[in-house]
Amino acid sequence: MTAKTMEELVSLCKRRGFIFQSNDIYGGVKGLYDYGPMGVELKNNLKQSWWKSMIYERDDIEGLDATILTSPDVLKYSGHEDTFSDPLVDCKSCKARWRTDQLEDTSCPSCKSKDLTEPRPFNLMFKTAIGPVDDGSSFAYLRPETAQQIFTNFKNILTSTNQTIPFGIAQIGKSFRNEITPRNFIFRVREFEQMELEFFVDPGKDESWHKYWIDSRYNWWINQGIDKKNLELLVVEKSELSHYSKSTVDIMYKYPHGKEELEGIANRTDFDLGSHTKNQEEFNIKAKVMKNDKSTTKLAVLNLENKTWTIPFVIEPSAGVDRGVLAILNESYKEEKVDENNSRVLLTLKPHLSPIKAAVIPLKKNNEEIVSAAKNIKKILQKLGLGRVALENSGNIAKSYRRHDEIGTPICITVDFETLEDKTVTVRDRDTMQQKRLGPEDLINYYKDCFN
Ligand code: GAP
């Protein structure tokens, strides 16, 4: 079961400290959200799972953390200055602004008027001044995708590591887009995070690598707890492709508001390295690129077999962190009956994603011995380094269970009078609600096993 409506998710997120409207106390700003204590843990766990699968579990991908502020040159030659725009119309009656694809039968969705301006391109990039003078002569863009600085660092990474083609560069970080109509909670926002891999391959081997990464990324989402029946692979139509793409397959997820893109896997050909390289005429660049006289670096590799310099092709799996968080929250949301009169909400998150790995709950809030034994167990489990372990000293076991069900804590550990005598504790499983009594060694093994 998933959430029935987006409202259920929004309400849970606020109630339990996952996600808040940003700048809320001043009325909020559309398209901006803050991640609270539970949200930041969930988001970090998702990013860490991606990073592990990309960098630690393989040997052909390197990591990068490049700047957000980006030189206009980079985004000129990447094509973003010219093409990164949405067609926009204004409603002359109610003054609302819409992307053309949002119009309802050529009418304003808000007031239904047909009195609209002609569509005109609206560039989605944010700009900011660099240096003390704000006269427009020195500025940077806030990057609209993390990918571009991967391409500009291609040579740095190639020469500072032992990588040869095929290899990849992975990066997680913020991107910014001045979306005309941000909506659907954290689905379409103006400040968001991306997890992007640029995987460089020999031209000619691009199509088989493209297929490989589509399969690999689809399976990764399933391993994060997403049910296959809520996923779909969509081949993007030629007319809908981004300016850099030869072919793109989107991983679509069934969000509460409809089936939409969670991740895109694009074959970017030699467009990006070809756009940013110096001496473009030396290479047989297949993509249509803008002439570049400014770049100082050749972005090519030496083919050891035929001793020629080639610009690699790029396969790019690009996932939205926020869209991932939304999909995972939706997927794990459950409401179930506990008995005749009571029901509970719970998040059946995969343990590696749970914001809190275990909650240690003293039976009596003010009993020093019990609280001290609970603190000690928290410390031991925390030291195992598997994530956040919380001491939950509310004094109300039922309330604590309810709270931890709702934030997806897989294990609750209750410390009581018996613990003081024989060191055993009660362990409660989130999903089955079954309880058992475990001694110290068994507790540690049980806890570790939960995350293997
Ligand atoms: N580098 C390629 C690229 O940026 P994209 O399809 O524009 O491609 C990739 O974006 C992913 O980033 C999307 O699949 C989505 O998950 C996420 N994303 C894009 N725009 C977003 C927005 N306004 N809010 C939240 N996530 C967004």
Side-chain angles (χ1 to χ4, degrees):
M1 200 171 107
T2 54
K4 283 187 226 81
T5 62
M6 190 74 97
E7 285 65 38
E8 282 178 335
L9 291 181
V10 174
S11 158
L12 174 81
C13 283
K14 178 147 191 191
R15 189 167 74 244
R16 294 303 185 189
F18 280 90
I19 299 164
F20 310 120
Q21 174 72 62
S22 191
N23 302 278
D24 204 11
I25 65 165
Y26 290 105
V29 176
K30 253 191 136 193
L32 300 181
Y33 288 92
D34 297 333
Y35 285 77
M38 295 306 115
V40 65
E41 296 291 340
L42 170 59
K43 193 173 170 194
N44 282 344
N45 292 338
L46 185 67
K47 292 191 283 182
Q48 201 188 1
S49 175
W50 186 89
W51 195 258
K52 255 166 70 185
S53 78
M54 289 293 175
I55 316 269
Y56 300 165
E57 288 166 11
R58 323 176 47 110
D59 291 304
D60 56 357
I61 300 181
E62 303 289 342
L64 177 72
D65 182 15
T67 63
I68 286 168
L69 294 180
T70 306
S71 153
D73 283 337
V74 173
L75 292 158
K76 172 183 167 184
Y77 292 106
S78 71
H80 284 82
E81 276 195 339
D82 286 342
T83 58
F84 198 63
S85 54
D86 276 343
L88 175 136
V89 295
D90 287 311
C91 171
K92 291 185 191 164
S93 296
C94 73
K95 310 292 176 216
R97 189 164 270 190
W98 302 100
R99 291 202 320 258
T100 43
D101 63 325
Q102 292 174 325
L103 296 178
E104 289 169 0
D105 260 349
T106 67
S107 304
C108 168
S110 163
C111 72
K112 313 297 172 208
S113 163
K114 283 191 183 294
D115 194 8
L116 309 171
T117 60
E118 282 299 308
R120 62 203 150 83
F122 173 76
N123 196 293
L124 301 179
M125 290 196 291
F126 286 101
K127 267 182 188 179
T128 189
I130 289 223
V133 186
D134 187 5
D135 62 359
S137 63
S138 173
F139 71 93
Y141 289 112
L142 274 63
R143 65 184 178 201
E145 59 172 10
T146 68
Q148 289 307 317
Q149 299 289 37
I150 294 183
F151 302 125
T152 61
N153 275 292
F154 175 75
K155 200 72 180 186
N156 286 335
I157 291 172
L158 197 63
T159 51
S160 60
T161 64
N162 288 327
Q163 299 291 351
T164 52
I165 299 294
F167 85 102
I169 304 175
Q171 177 166 225
I172 300 176
K174 290 262 175 153
S175 291
F176 300 80
R177 296 182 189 179
N178 195 4
E179 297 284 356
I180 300 160
T181 41
R183 64 204 161 126
N184 295 321
F185 194 29
I186 52 170
F187 179 81
R188 187 177 302 284
V189 283
R190 291 183 168 133
E191 175 175 339
F192 56 98
E193 279 191 89
Q194 291 182 310
M195 307 184 281
E196 295 200 298
L197 167 69
E198 308 303 323
F199 198 78
F200 303 97
V201 302
D202 277 322
K205 298 204 175 135
D206 51 312
E207 284 177 14
S208 57
W209 275 111
H210 193 198
K211 191 175 167 333
Y212 167 88
W213 278 112
I214 294 163
D215 292 347
S216 169
R217 295 301 306 144
Y218 181 85
N219 288 326
W220 184 83
W221 283 112
I222 289 169
N223 289 336
Q224 307 317 302
I226 306 241
D227 194 324
K228 261 186 193 159
K229 73 175 192 312
N230 293 326
L231 288 175
E232 190 183 301
L233 292 177
L234 177 96
V235 180
V236 177
E237 298 217 5
K238 285 266 179 270
S239 59
E240 299 286 314
L241 289 173
S242 303
H243 62 280
Y244 48 72
S245 175
K246 167 176 151 184
S247 73
T248 297
V249 170
D250 286 341
I251 301 179
M252 309 290 279
Y253 176 72
K254 207 161 138 206
Y255 289 99
H257 64 277
K259 203 174 269 178
E260 292 223 51
E261 178 186 339
L262 166 65
E263 169 163 358
I265 301 121
N267 182 343
R268 294 182 75 130
T269 70
D270 54 0
F271 175 83
D272 300 279
L273 294 181
S275 295
H276 291 301
T277 190
K278 83 165 183 182
N279 297 0
Q280 288 166 317
E281 62 290 346
E282 284 179 18
F283 311 105
N284 177 20
I285 300 171
K286 314 278 185 316
K288 196 162 166 273
V289 296
M290 192 188 300
K291 189 167 163 47
N292 188 334
D293 294 322
K294 271 200 156 175
S295 170
T296 58
T297 308
K298 275 196 211 179
L299 302 177
V301 290
L302 182 63
N303 182 325
L304 293 174
E305 278 166 26
N306 60 16
K307 302 277 179 282
T308 56
W309 286 86
T310 322
I311 297 202
F313 270 38
V314 174
I315 305 300
E316 178 199 62
S318 171
V321 177
D322 310 75
R323 288 189 190 179
V325 167
L326 186 59
I328 279 159
L329 283 171
N330 184 53
E331 197 71 17
S332 60
Y333 187 100
K334 288 193 176 52
E335 210 175 330
E336 62 180 30
K337 262 198 159 322
V338 182
D339 54 40
E340 276 295 291
N341 304 316
N342 298 299
S343 62
R344 66 169 183 157
V345 167
L346 77 159
L347 292 184
T348 57
L349 293 168
K350 287 257 188 169
H352 72 280
L353 296 176
S354 291
I356 292 179
K357 305 303 178 195
V360 188
I361 311 168
L363 180 70
K364 293 278 174 209
K365 189 179 176 178
N366 297 320
N367 182 307
E368 261 178 50
E369 277 181 286
I370 289 181
V371 173
S372 156
K375 281 185 179 166
N376 192 38
I377 292 170
K378 180 224 144 112
K379 212 163 150 190
I380 291 167
L381 297 183
Q382 189 63 68
K383 268 200 176 153
L384 296 173
L386 296 169
R388 180 172 173 192
V389 178
L391 181 82
E392 182 71 55
N393 198 10
S394 68
N396 183 331
I397 300 284
K399 232 174 154 178
S400 299
Y401 284 165
R402 201 151 63 237
R403 172 175 143 73
H404 283 280
D405 283 346
E406 288 200 5
I407 60 179
T409 307
I411 307 170
C412 283
I413 300 161
T414 302
V415 178
D416 54 20
F417 289 104
E418 227 178 304
T419 316
L420 303 180
E421 283 166 23
D422 62 7
K423 293 194 163 48
T424 61
V425 291
T426 300
V427 175
R428 173 190 181 265
D429 178 89
R430 174 195 67 201
D431 299 345
T432 63
M433 291 188 287
Q434 294 205 328
Q435 304 191 6
K436 56 181 162 190
R437 207 74 200 168
L438 294 180
E441 224 173 277
D442 288 341
L443 174 66
I444 289 178
N445 289 333
Y446 180 88
Y447 177 69
K448 282 190 192 158
D449 285 350
C450 183
F451 301 97
N452 281 334

